[in-house]
């Protein structure tokens, strides 16, 4: 995970723990404390869900970019190999032509 994602998750978790401890130590009725804890838990769950969606989108975007880069690099490599193969074939054809010419001289 990236540093920003770790930081965001750390802040969310720290905020949730701090709010929970603050509610637990505050002088209030039990029913009010439970209600506040429930509300805080729901808010934290929503924040974590949003962070997870953001992280998923970020990973999907990164994968798409990497796939695009890989496709581009592969195309470049294949094209380069094709040109090199063409050069090798041309060189071999010249050598073959020379060998045929020498062979004809020997056959006379």
């Amino acid at each position: 995970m990236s540093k920003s994602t770790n930081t965001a998750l750390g802040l969310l978790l720290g905020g949730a723990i701090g709010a929970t401890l603050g509610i637990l130590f505050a002088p209030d009725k039990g029913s009010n404390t439970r209600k506040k804890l429930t509300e805080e838990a729901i808010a934290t769950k929503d924040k974590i869900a949003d962070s997870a969606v953001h992280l998923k989108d970020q990973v999907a975007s990164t994968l798409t970019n990497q796939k695009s880069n890989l496709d581009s690099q592969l195309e470049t490599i294949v094209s380069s190999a094709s040109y090199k193969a063409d050069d090798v074939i041309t060189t071999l054809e010249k050598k073959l032509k020379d060998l045929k010419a020498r062979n004809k001289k020997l056959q006379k």
Side-chain angles (χ1 to χ4, degrees), residues 32-82:
N32 289 340
T33 300
R34 285 189 296 275
K35 182 178 177 185
K36 288 179 185 178
L37 284 174
T38 302
E39 290 170 357
E40 188 64 33
I42 291 171
T44 301
K45 179 190 78 145
D46 292 341
K47 287 178 186 177
I48 290 172
D50 289 342
S51 293
V53 167
H54 177 69
L55 180 62
K56 182 190 93 163
D57 292 342
Q58 199 173 21
V59 168
S61 174
T62 300
L63 287 175
T64 300
N65 290 338
Q66 292 298 328
K67 183 186 179 299
S68 176
N69 289 343
L70 182 61
D71 288 344
S72 175
Q73 289 175 351
L74 182 60
E75 185 176 321
T76 301
I77 290 170
V78 168
S79 176
S80 176
S82 176

Side-chain angles (χ1 to χ4, degrees), residues 5-6 11 17 26 28 36 38 55 58 74 76 88 94 96:
T5 304
N6 286 339
L11 288 173
I17 291 171
D28 205 355
K36 288 179 185 178
T38 302
L55 180 62
Q58 199 173 21
L74 182 60
T76 301
V88 169
K94 287 178 185 176
L96 183 60

